[in-house]
mmCIF file with all atom_site columns, all heavy atoms in Angstrom:
data_model
loop_
_atom_site.group_PDB
_atom_site.id
_atom_site.type_symbol
_atom_site.label_atom_id
_atom_site.label_alt_id
_atom_site.label_comp_id
_atom_site.label_asym_id
_atom_site.label_entity_id
_atom_site.label_seq_id
_atom_site.pdbx_PDB_ins_code
_atom_site.Cartn_x
_atom_site.Cartn_y
_atom_site.Cartn_z
_atom_site.occupancy
_atom_site.B_iso_or_equiv
_atom_site.pdbx_formal_charge
_atom_site.auth_seq_id
_atom_site.auth_comp_id
_atom_site.auth_asym_id
_atom_site.auth_atom_id
_atom_site.pdbx_PDB_model_num
ATOM 1   N N   . HIS A 1 107 ? 21.652 -15.151 29.763 1.00 0.00 ? 107 HIS A N   1
ATOM 2   C CA  . HIS A 1 107 ? 21.336 -15.768 28.471 1.00 0.00 ? 107 HIS A CA  1
ATOM 3   C C   . HIS A 1 107 ? 19.922 -15.387 28.046 1.00 0.00 ? 107 HIS A C   1
ATOM 4   O O   . HIS A 1 107 ? 18.976 -15.467 28.843 1.00 0.00 ? 107 HIS A O   1
ATOM 5   C CB  . HIS A 1 107 ? 21.441 -17.294 28.566 1.00 0.00 ? 107 HIS A CB  1
ATOM 6   C CG  . HIS A 1 107 ? 20.971 -17.993 27.312 1.00 0.00 ? 107 HIS A CG  1
ATOM 7   N ND1 . HIS A 1 107 ? 19.953 -18.930 27.319 1.00 0.00 ? 107 HIS A ND1 1
ATOM 8   C CD2 . HIS A 1 107 ? 21.367 -17.878 26.019 1.00 0.00 ? 107 HIS A CD2 1
ATOM 9   C CE1 . HIS A 1 107 ? 19.752 -19.365 26.083 1.00 0.00 ? 107 HIS A CE1 1
ATOM 10  N NE2 . HIS A 1 107 ? 20.590 -18.744 25.274 1.00 0.00 ? 107 HIS A NE2 1
ATOM 11  N N   . SER A 1 108 ? 19.782 -14.986 26.805 1.00 0.00 ? 108 SER A N   1
ATOM 12  C CA  . SER A 1 108 ? 18.475 -14.745 26.181 1.00 0.00 ? 108 SER A CA  1
ATOM 13  C C   . SER A 1 108 ? 17.639 -13.780 27.018 1.00 0.00 ? 108 SER A C   1
ATOM 14  O O   . SER A 1 108 ? 18.111 -12.704 27.401 1.00 0.00 ? 108 SER A O   1
ATOM 15  C CB  . SER A 1 108 ? 17.758 -16.076 25.955 1.00 0.00 ? 108 SER A CB  1
ATOM 16  O OG  . SER A 1 108 ? 16.610 -15.914 25.142 1.00 0.00 ? 108 SER A OG  1
ATOM 17  N N   . LEU A 1 109 ? 16.387 -14.160 27.340 1.00 0.00 ? 109 LEU A N   1
ATOM 18  C CA  . LEU A 1 109 ? 15.511 -13.254 28.075 1.00 0.00 ? 109 LEU A CA  1
ATOM 19  C C   . LEU A 1 109 ? 15.937 -13.076 29.524 1.00 0.00 ? 109 LEU A C   1
ATOM 20  O O   . LEU A 1 109 ? 15.418 -12.190 30.217 1.00 0.00 ? 109 LEU A O   1
ATOM 21  C CB  . LEU A 1 109 ? 14.067 -13.746 28.019 1.00 0.00 ? 109 LEU A CB  1
ATOM 22  C CG  . LEU A 1 109 ? 13.423 -13.900 26.631 1.00 0.00 ? 109 LEU A CG  1
ATOM 23  C CD1 . LEU A 1 109 ? 11.908 -14.004 26.757 1.00 0.00 ? 109 LEU A CD1 1
ATOM 24  C CD2 . LEU A 1 109 ? 13.782 -12.765 25.710 1.00 0.00 ? 109 LEU A CD2 1
ATOM 25  N N   . GLY A 1 110 ? 16.892 -13.885 29.968 1.00 0.00 ? 110 GLY A N   1
ATOM 26  C CA  . GLY A 1 110 ? 17.461 -13.646 31.293 1.00 0.00 ? 110 GLY A CA  1
ATOM 27  C C   . GLY A 1 110 ? 18.088 -12.278 31.384 1.00 0.00 ? 110 GLY A C   1
ATOM 28  O O   . GLY A 1 110 ? 18.156 -11.671 32.458 1.00 0.00 ? 110 GLY A O   1
ATOM 29  N N   . GLY A 1 111 ? 18.559 -11.748 30.249 1.00 0.00 ? 111 GLY A N   1
ATOM 30  C CA  . GLY A 1 111 ? 19.118 -10.400 30.235 1.00 0.00 ? 111 GLY A CA  1
ATOM 31  C C   . GLY A 1 111 ? 18.085 -9.353  30.604 1.00 0.00 ? 111 GLY A C   1
ATOM 32  O O   . GLY A 1 111 ? 18.420 -8.305  31.185 1.00 0.00 ? 111 GLY A O   1
ATOM 33  N N   . ILE A 1 112 ? 16.803 -9.601  30.289 1.00 0.00 ? 112 ILE A N   1
ATOM 34  C CA  . ILE A 1 112 ? 15.747 -8.655  30.656 1.00 0.00 ? 112 ILE A CA  1
ATOM 35  C C   . ILE A 1 112 ? 15.575 -8.630  32.171 1.00 0.00 ? 112 ILE A C   1
ATOM 36  O O   . ILE A 1 112 ? 15.409 -7.566  32.780 1.00 0.00 ? 112 ILE A O   1
ATOM 37  C CB  . ILE A 1 112 ? 14.426 -9.032  29.949 1.00 0.00 ? 112 ILE A CB  1
ATOM 38  C CG1 . ILE A 1 112 ? 14.587 -8.863  28.430 1.00 0.00 ? 112 ILE A CG1 1
ATOM 39  C CG2 . ILE A 1 112 ? 13.266 -8.203  30.473 1.00 0.00 ? 112 ILE A CG2 1
ATOM 40  C CD1 . ILE A 1 112 ? 13.377 -9.320  27.626 1.00 0.00 ? 112 ILE A CD1 1
ATOM 41  N N   . LYS A 1 115 ? 18.485 -6.643  33.563 1.00 0.00 ? 115 LYS A N   1
ATOM 42  C CA  . LYS A 1 115 ? 18.302 -5.196  33.353 1.00 0.00 ? 115 LYS A CA  1
ATOM 43  C C   . LYS A 1 115 ? 17.268 -4.636  34.325 1.00 0.00 ? 115 LYS A C   1
ATOM 44  O O   . LYS A 1 115 ? 17.455 -3.557  34.903 1.00 0.00 ? 115 LYS A O   1
ATOM 45  C CB  . LYS A 1 115 ? 17.885 -4.924  31.904 1.00 0.00 ? 115 LYS A CB  1
ATOM 46  C CG  . LYS A 1 115 ? 18.999 -5.121  30.891 1.00 0.00 ? 115 LYS A CG  1
ATOM 47  C CD  . LYS A 1 115 ? 18.615 -4.660  29.496 1.00 0.00 ? 115 LYS A CD  1
ATOM 48  C CE  . LYS A 1 115 ? 17.570 -5.529  28.862 1.00 0.00 ? 115 LYS A CE  1
ATOM 49  N NZ  . LYS A 1 115 ? 17.302 -5.139  27.442 1.00 0.00 ? 115 LYS A NZ  1
ATOM 50  N N   . LEU A 1 140 ? 24.396 -12.937 26.548 1.00 0.00 ? 140 LEU A N   1
ATOM 51  C CA  . LEU A 1 140 ? 24.550 -14.019 25.575 1.00 0.00 ? 140 LEU A CA  1
ATOM 52  C C   . LEU A 1 140 ? 23.241 -14.148 24.785 1.00 0.00 ? 140 LEU A C   1
ATOM 53  O O   . LEU A 1 140 ? 22.291 -14.781 25.228 1.00 0.00 ? 140 LEU A O   1
ATOM 54  C CB  . LEU A 1 140 ? 24.872 -15.334 26.288 1.00 0.00 ? 140 LEU A CB  1
ATOM 55  C CG  . LEU A 1 140 ? 26.171 -15.366 27.103 1.00 0.00 ? 140 LEU A CG  1
ATOM 56  C CD1 . LEU A 1 140 ? 26.243 -16.632 27.950 1.00 0.00 ? 140 LEU A CD1 1
ATOM 57  C CD2 . LEU A 1 140 ? 27.377 -15.272 26.189 1.00 0.00 ? 140 LEU A CD2 1
ATOM 58  N N   . GLY A 1 141 ? 23.172 -13.488 23.635 1.00 0.00 ? 141 GLY A N   1
ATOM 59  C CA  . GLY A 1 141 ? 21.982 -13.579 22.792 1.00 0.00 ? 141 GLY A CA  1
ATOM 60  C C   . GLY A 1 141 ? 20.748 -12.951 23.405 1.00 0.00 ? 141 GLY A C   1
ATOM 61  O O   . GLY A 1 141 ? 19.638 -13.443 23.210 1.00 0.00 ? 141 GLY A O   1
ATOM 62  N N   . THR A 1 142 ? 20.907 -11.860 24.141 1.00 0.00 ? 142 THR A N   1
ATOM 63  C CA  . THR A 1 142 ? 19.753 -11.169 24.727 1.00 0.00 ? 142 THR A CA  1
ATOM 64  C C   . THR A 1 142 ? 19.150 -10.198 23.714 1.00 0.00 ? 142 THR A C   1
ATOM 65  O O   . THR A 1 142 ? 19.871 -9.359  23.164 1.00 0.00 ? 142 THR A O   1
ATOM 66  C CB  . THR A 1 142 ? 20.178 -10.400 25.995 1.00 0.00 ? 142 THR A CB  1
ATOM 67  O OG1 . THR A 1 142 ? 20.521 -11.336 27.021 1.00 0.00 ? 142 THR A OG1 1
ATOM 68  C CG2 . THR A 1 142 ? 19.043 -9.511  26.489 1.00 0.00 ? 142 THR A CG2 1
ATOM 69  N N   . PRO A 1 143 ? 17.863 -10.290 23.458 1.00 0.00 ? 143 PRO A N   1
ATOM 70  C CA  . PRO A 1 143 ? 17.234 -9.329  22.534 1.00 0.00 ? 143 PRO A CA  1
ATOM 71  C C   . PRO A 1 143 ? 16.911 -8.026  23.261 1.00 0.00 ? 143 PRO A C   1
ATOM 72  O O   . PRO A 1 143 ? 16.156 -8.014  24.227 1.00 0.00 ? 143 PRO A O   1
ATOM 73  C CB  . PRO A 1 143 ? 15.952 -10.044 22.115 1.00 0.00 ? 143 PRO A CB  1
ATOM 74  C CG  . PRO A 1 143 ? 15.605 -10.904 23.286 1.00 0.00 ? 143 PRO A CG  1
ATOM 75  C CD  . PRO A 1 143 ? 16.898 -11.312 23.931 1.00 0.00 ? 143 PRO A CD  1
ATOM 76  N N   . HIS A 1 144 ? 17.502 -6.927  22.786 1.00 0.00 ? 144 HIS A N   1
ATOM 77  C CA  . HIS A 1 144 ? 17.251 -5.635  23.410 1.00 0.00 ? 144 HIS A CA  1
ATOM 78  C C   . HIS A 1 144 ? 16.232 -4.802  22.651 1.00 0.00 ? 144 HIS A C   1
ATOM 79  O O   . HIS A 1 144 ? 15.655 -3.869  23.203 1.00 0.00 ? 144 HIS A O   1
ATOM 80  C CB  . HIS A 1 144 ? 18.560 -4.841  23.495 1.00 0.00 ? 144 HIS A CB  1
ATOM 81  C CG  . HIS A 1 144 ? 19.628 -5.510  24.302 1.00 0.00 ? 144 HIS A CG  1
ATOM 82  N ND1 . HIS A 1 144 ? 19.514 -5.736  25.658 1.00 0.00 ? 144 HIS A ND1 1
ATOM 83  C CD2 . HIS A 1 144 ? 20.830 -6.038  23.937 1.00 0.00 ? 144 HIS A CD2 1
ATOM 84  C CE1 . HIS A 1 144 ? 20.601 -6.352  26.098 1.00 0.00 ? 144 HIS A CE1 1
ATOM 85  N NE2 . HIS A 1 144 ? 21.423 -6.548  25.074 1.00 0.00 ? 144 HIS A NE2 1
ATOM 86  N N   . ARG A 1 145 ? 16.005 -5.118  21.388 1.00 0.00 ? 145 ARG A N   1
ATOM 87  C CA  . ARG A 1 145 ? 15.107 -4.297  20.568 1.00 0.00 ? 145 ARG A CA  1
ATOM 88  C C   . ARG A 1 145 ? 14.729 -5.082  19.320 1.00 0.00 ? 145 ARG A C   1
ATOM 89  O O   . ARG A 1 145 ? 15.301 -6.129  19.032 1.00 0.00 ? 145 ARG A O   1
ATOM 90  C CB  . ARG A 1 145 ? 15.801 -2.990  20.164 1.00 0.00 ? 145 ARG A CB  1
ATOM 91  C CG  . ARG A 1 145 ? 17.156 -3.227  19.514 1.00 0.00 ? 145 ARG A CG  1
ATOM 92  C CD  . ARG A 1 145 ? 17.874 -1.933  19.241 1.00 0.00 ? 145 ARG A CD  1
ATOM 93  N NE  . ARG A 1 145 ? 19.249 -2.172  18.824 1.00 0.00 ? 145 ARG A NE  1
ATOM 94  C CZ  . ARG A 1 145 ? 20.086 -1.224  18.422 1.00 0.00 ? 145 ARG A CZ  1
ATOM 95  N NH1 . ARG A 1 145 ? 19.660 0.014   18.379 1.00 0.00 ? 145 ARG A NH1 1
ATOM 96  N NH2 . ARG A 1 145 ? 21.300 -1.509  18.066 1.00 0.00 ? 145 ARG A NH2 1
ATOM 97  N N   . GLY A 1 146 ? 13.778 -4.542  18.549 1.00 0.00 ? 146 GLY A N   1
ATOM 98  C CA  . GLY A 1 146 ? 13.398 -5.153  17.286 1.00 0.00 ? 146 GLY A CA  1
ATOM 99  C C   . GLY A 1 146 ? 14.458 -4.918  16.228 1.00 0.00 ? 146 GLY A C   1
ATOM 100 O O   . GLY A 1 146 ? 15.437 -4.209  16.432 1.00 0.00 ? 146 GLY A O   1
ATOM 101 N N   . TYR A 1 152 ? 9.992  -6.093  17.971 1.00 0.00 ? 152 TYR A N   1
ATOM 102 C CA  . TYR A 1 152 ? 10.513 -6.652  19.220 1.00 0.00 ? 152 TYR A CA  1
ATOM 103 C C   . TYR A 1 152 ? 9.609  -7.769  19.720 1.00 0.00 ? 152 TYR A C   1
ATOM 104 O O   . TYR A 1 152 ? 10.072 -8.828  20.148 1.00 0.00 ? 152 TYR A O   1
ATOM 105 C CB  . TYR A 1 152 ? 10.640 -5.536  20.253 1.00 0.00 ? 152 TYR A CB  1
ATOM 106 C CG  . TYR A 1 152 ? 11.449 -5.919  21.482 1.00 0.00 ? 152 TYR A CG  1
ATOM 107 C CD1 . TYR A 1 152 ? 12.666 -6.594  21.364 1.00 0.00 ? 152 TYR A CD1 1
ATOM 108 C CD2 . TYR A 1 152 ? 11.010 -5.591  22.752 1.00 0.00 ? 152 TYR A CD2 1
ATOM 109 C CE1 . TYR A 1 152 ? 13.401 -6.926  22.482 1.00 0.00 ? 152 TYR A CE1 1
ATOM 110 C CE2 . TYR A 1 152 ? 11.743 -5.913  23.883 1.00 0.00 ? 152 TYR A CE2 1
ATOM 111 C CZ  . TYR A 1 152 ? 12.939 -6.593  23.749 1.00 0.00 ? 152 TYR A CZ  1
ATOM 112 O OH  . TYR A 1 152 ? 13.674 -6.923  24.843 1.00 0.00 ? 152 TYR A OH  1
ATOM 113 N N   . ILE A 1 155 ? 10.249 -10.943 17.774 1.00 0.00 ? 155 ILE A N   1
ATOM 114 C CA  . ILE A 1 155 ? 11.502 -11.603 18.168 1.00 0.00 ? 155 ILE A CA  1
ATOM 115 C C   . ILE A 1 155 ? 11.315 -12.374 19.469 1.00 0.00 ? 155 ILE A C   1
ATOM 116 O O   . ILE A 1 155 ? 11.748 -13.531 19.600 1.00 0.00 ? 155 ILE A O   1
ATOM 117 C CB  . ILE A 1 155 ? 12.633 -10.567 18.296 1.00 0.00 ? 155 ILE A CB  1
ATOM 118 C CG1 . ILE A 1 155 ? 13.007 -10.033 16.904 1.00 0.00 ? 155 ILE A CG1 1
ATOM 119 C CG2 . ILE A 1 155 ? 13.857 -11.175 18.980 1.00 0.00 ? 155 ILE A CG2 1
ATOM 120 C CD1 . ILE A 1 155 ? 14.028 -8.932  16.933 1.00 0.00 ? 155 ILE A CD1 1
ATOM 121 N N   . LEU A 1 156 ? 10.640 -11.754 20.443 1.00 0.00 ? 156 LEU A N   1
ATOM 122 C CA  . LEU A 1 156 ? 10.402 -12.449 21.721 1.00 0.00 ? 156 LEU A CA  1
ATOM 123 C C   . LEU A 1 156 ? 9.556  -13.704 21.502 1.00 0.00 ? 156 LEU A C   1
ATOM 124 O O   . LEU A 1 156 ? 9.826  -14.759 22.085 1.00 0.00 ? 156 LEU A O   1
ATOM 125 C CB  . LEU A 1 156 ? 9.695  -11.505 22.695 1.00 0.00 ? 156 LEU A CB  1
ATOM 126 C CG  . LEU A 1 156 ? 10.457 -10.222 23.093 1.00 0.00 ? 156 LEU A CG  1
ATOM 127 C CD1 . LEU A 1 156 ? 9.621  -9.386  24.044 1.00 0.00 ? 156 LEU A CD1 1
ATOM 128 C CD2 . LEU A 1 156 ? 11.807 -10.551 23.722 1.00 0.00 ? 156 LEU A CD2 1
ATOM 129 N N   . ILE A 1 159 ? 11.651 -16.502 19.977 1.00 0.00 ? 159 ILE A N   1
ATOM 130 C CA  . ILE A 1 159 ? 12.485 -17.164 20.986 1.00 0.00 ? 159 ILE A CA  1
ATOM 131 C C   . ILE A 1 159 ? 11.658 -18.207 21.726 1.00 0.00 ? 159 ILE A C   1
ATOM 132 O O   . ILE A 1 159 ? 12.089 -19.355 21.920 1.00 0.00 ? 159 ILE A O   1
ATOM 133 C CB  . ILE A 1 159 ? 13.069 -16.128 21.963 1.00 0.00 ? 159 ILE A CB  1
ATOM 134 C CG1 . ILE A 1 159 ? 14.098 -15.250 21.247 1.00 0.00 ? 159 ILE A CG1 1
ATOM 135 C CG2 . ILE A 1 159 ? 13.705 -16.813 23.166 1.00 0.00 ? 159 ILE A CG2 1
ATOM 136 C CD1 . ILE A 1 159 ? 14.592 -14.100 22.088 1.00 0.00 ? 159 ILE A CD1 1
ATOM 137 N N   . LEU A 1 182 ? 8.981  -3.624  27.670 1.00 0.00 ? 182 LEU A N   1
ATOM 138 C CA  . LEU A 1 182 ? 10.302 -4.241  27.785 1.00 0.00 ? 182 LEU A CA  1
ATOM 139 C C   . LEU A 1 182 ? 11.341 -3.472  26.976 1.00 0.00 ? 182 LEU A C   1
ATOM 140 O O   . LEU A 1 182 ? 12.499 -3.366  27.389 1.00 0.00 ? 182 LEU A O   1
ATOM 141 C CB  . LEU A 1 182 ? 10.230 -5.695  27.317 1.00 0.00 ? 182 LEU A CB  1
ATOM 142 C CG  . LEU A 1 182 ? 9.317  -6.612  28.146 1.00 0.00 ? 182 LEU A CG  1
ATOM 143 C CD1 . LEU A 1 182 ? 9.290  -8.014  27.571 1.00 0.00 ? 182 LEU A CD1 1
ATOM 144 C CD2 . LEU A 1 182 ? 9.771  -6.647  29.598 1.00 0.00 ? 182 LEU A CD2 1
ATOM 145 N N   . THR A 1 186 ? 14.917 -1.241  28.119 1.00 0.00 ? 186 THR A N   1
ATOM 146 C CA  . THR A 1 186 ? 16.247 -1.157  27.506 1.00 0.00 ? 186 THR A CA  1
ATOM 147 C C   . THR A 1 186 ? 16.729 0.281   27.476 1.00 0.00 ? 186 THR A C   1
ATOM 148 O O   . THR A 1 186 ? 17.881 0.584   27.807 1.00 0.00 ? 186 THR A O   1
ATOM 149 C CB  . THR A 1 186 ? 16.207 -1.739  26.084 1.00 0.00 ? 186 THR A CB  1
ATOM 150 O OG1 . THR A 1 186 ? 15.917 -3.129  26.161 1.00 0.00 ? 186 THR A OG1 1
ATOM 151 C CG2 . THR A 1 186 ? 17.546 -1.542  25.386 1.00 0.00 ? 186 THR A CG2 1
ATOM 152 N N   . ILE A 1 214 ? 17.894 -16.339 15.519 1.00 0.00 ? 214 ILE A N   1
ATOM 153 C CA  . ILE A 1 214 ? 16.691 -15.930 16.252 1.00 0.00 ? 214 ILE A CA  1
ATOM 154 C C   . ILE A 1 214 ? 16.834 -14.488 16.714 1.00 0.00 ? 214 ILE A C   1
ATOM 155 O O   . ILE A 1 214 ? 15.934 -13.674 16.557 1.00 0.00 ? 214 ILE A O   1
ATOM 156 C CB  . ILE A 1 214 ? 16.458 -16.851 17.467 1.00 0.00 ? 214 ILE A CB  1
ATOM 157 C CG1 . ILE A 1 214 ? 16.290 -18.297 16.995 1.00 0.00 ? 214 ILE A CG1 1
ATOM 158 C CG2 . ILE A 1 214 ? 15.241 -16.404 18.260 1.00 0.00 ? 214 ILE A CG2 1
ATOM 159 C CD1 . ILE A 1 214 ? 15.131 -18.498 16.059 1.00 0.00 ? 214 ILE A CD1 1
ATOM 160 N N   . VAL A 1 215 ? 17.980 -14.184 17.324 1.00 0.00 ? 215 VAL A N   1
ATOM 161 C CA  . VAL A 1 215 ? 18.264 -12.810 17.757 1.00 0.00 ? 215 VAL A CA  1
ATOM 162 C C   . VAL A 1 215 ? 19.402 -12.298 16.883 1.00 0.00 ? 215 VAL A C   1
ATOM 163 O O   . VAL A 1 215 ? 20.565 -12.661 17.076 1.00 0.00 ? 215 VAL A O   1
ATOM 164 C CB  . VAL A 1 215 ? 18.643 -12.751 19.248 1.00 0.00 ? 215 VAL A CB  1
ATOM 165 C CG1 . VAL A 1 215 ? 18.894 -11.303 19.669 1.00 0.00 ? 215 VAL A CG1 1
ATOM 166 C CG2 . VAL A 1 215 ? 17.547 -13.373 20.099 1.00 0.00 ? 215 VAL A CG2 1
ATOM 167 N N   . GLU A 1 216 ? 19.059 -11.487 15.914 1.00 0.00 ? 216 GLU A N   1
ATOM 168 C CA  . GLU A 1 216 ? 20.067 -11.002 14.985 1.00 0.00 ? 216 GLU A CA  1
ATOM 169 C C   . GLU A 1 216 ? 20.956 -9.948  15.639 1.00 0.00 ? 216 GLU A C   1
ATOM 170 O O   . GLU A 1 216 ? 20.624 -9.396  16.699 1.00 0.00 ? 216 GLU A O   1
ATOM 171 C CB  . GLU A 1 216 ? 19.385 -10.449 13.732 1.00 0.00 ? 216 GLU A CB  1
ATOM 172 C CG  . GLU A 1 216 ? 18.625 -11.520 12.969 1.00 0.00 ? 216 GLU A CG  1
ATOM 173 C CD  . GLU A 1 216 ? 17.982 -10.982 11.707 1.00 0.00 ? 216 GLU A CD  1
ATOM 174 O OE1 . GLU A 1 216 ? 16.889 -10.401 11.802 1.00 0.00 ? 216 GLU A OE1 1
ATOM 175 O OE2 . GLU A 1 216 ? 18.584 -11.155 10.639 1.00 0.00 ? 216 GLU A OE2 1
ATOM 176 N N   . SER A 1 219 ? 19.555 -6.645  17.019 1.00 0.00 ? 219 SER A N   1
ATOM 177 C CA  . SER A 1 219 ? 18.737 -6.771  18.216 1.00 0.00 ? 219 SER A CA  1
ATOM 178 C C   . SER A 1 219 ? 19.566 -7.131  19.445 1.00 0.00 ? 219 SER A C   1
ATOM 179 O O   . SER A 1 219 ? 19.232 -6.755  20.563 1.00 0.00 ? 219 SER A O   1
ATOM 180 C CB  . SER A 1 219 ? 17.654 -7.826  17.986 1.00 0.00 ? 219 SER A CB  1
ATOM 181 O OG  . SER A 1 219 ? 16.861 -8.004  19.130 1.00 0.00 ? 219 SER A OG  1
ATOM 182 N N   . ALA A 1 220 ? 20.663 -7.850  19.236 1.00 0.00 ? 220 ALA A N   1
ATOM 183 C CA  . ALA A 1 220 ? 21.450 -8.366  20.364 1.00 0.00 ? 220 ALA A CA  1
ATOM 184 C C   . ALA A 1 220 ? 22.444 -7.349  20.920 1.00 0.00 ? 220 ALA A C   1
ATOM 185 O O   . ALA A 1 220 ? 23.093 -7.624  21.935 1.00 0.00 ? 220 ALA A O   1
ATOM 186 C CB  . ALA A 1 220 ? 22.208 -9.623  19.936 1.00 0.00 ? 220 ALA A CB  1
ATOM 187 N N   . LEU A 1 221 ? 22.577 -6.195  20.292 1.00 0.00 ? 221 LEU A N   1
ATOM 188 C CA  . LEU A 1 221 ? 23.535 -5.192  20.746 1.00 0.00 ? 221 LEU A CA  1
ATOM 189 C C   . LEU A 1 221 ? 22.823 -4.069  21.483 1.00 0.00 ? 221 LEU A C   1
ATOM 190 O O   . LEU A 1 221 ? 21.786 -3.576  21.037 1.00 0.00 ? 221 LEU A O   1
ATOM 191 C CB  . LEU A 1 221 ? 24.324 -4.628  19.562 1.00 0.00 ? 221 LEU A CB  1
ATOM 192 C CG  . LEU A 1 221 ? 25.131 -5.658  18.753 1.00 0.00 ? 221 LEU A CG  1
ATOM 193 C CD1 . LEU A 1 221 ? 25.864 -4.976  17.620 1.00 0.00 ? 221 LEU A CD1 1
ATOM 194 C CD2 . LEU A 1 221 ? 26.098 -6.424  19.652 1.00 0.00 ? 221 LEU A CD2 1
ATOM 195 N N   . HIS A 1 236 ? 21.230 -19.851 18.983 1.00 0.00 ? 236 HIS A N   1
ATOM 196 C CA  . HIS A 1 236 ? 20.724 -19.201 20.183 1.00 0.00 ? 236 HIS A CA  1
ATOM 197 C C   . HIS A 1 236 ? 20.768 -20.115 21.401 1.00 0.00 ? 236 HIS A C   1
ATOM 198 O O   . HIS A 1 236 ? 21.081 -19.664 22.513 1.00 0.00 ? 236 HIS A O   1
ATOM 199 C CB  . HIS A 1 236 ? 19.272 -18.744 19.927 1.00 0.00 ? 236 HIS A CB  1
ATOM 200 C CG  . HIS A 1 236 ? 18.715 -17.901 21.026 1.00 0.00 ? 236 HIS A CG  1
ATOM 201 N ND1 . HIS A 1 236 ? 19.096 -16.588 21.226 1.00 0.00 ? 236 HIS A ND1 1
ATOM 202 C CD2 . HIS A 1 236 ? 17.799 -18.182 22.007 1.00 0.00 ? 236 HIS A CD2 1
ATOM 203 C CE1 . HIS A 1 236 ? 18.455 -16.100 22.264 1.00 0.00 ? 236 HIS A CE1 1
ATOM 204 N NE2 . HIS A 1 236 ? 17.660 -17.038 22.759 1.00 0.00 ? 236 HIS A NE2 1
#
Side-chain angles (χ1 to χ4, degrees):
H107 173 238
S108 191
L109 301 196
I112 295 175
K115 288 188 291 186
L140 299 170
T142 291
H144 300 295
R145 53 185 171 175
Y152 193 45
I155 290 175
L156 298 179
I159 291 173
L182 297 178
T186 295
I214 300 300
V215 182
E216 296 182 278
S219 179
L221 301 180
H236 188 74

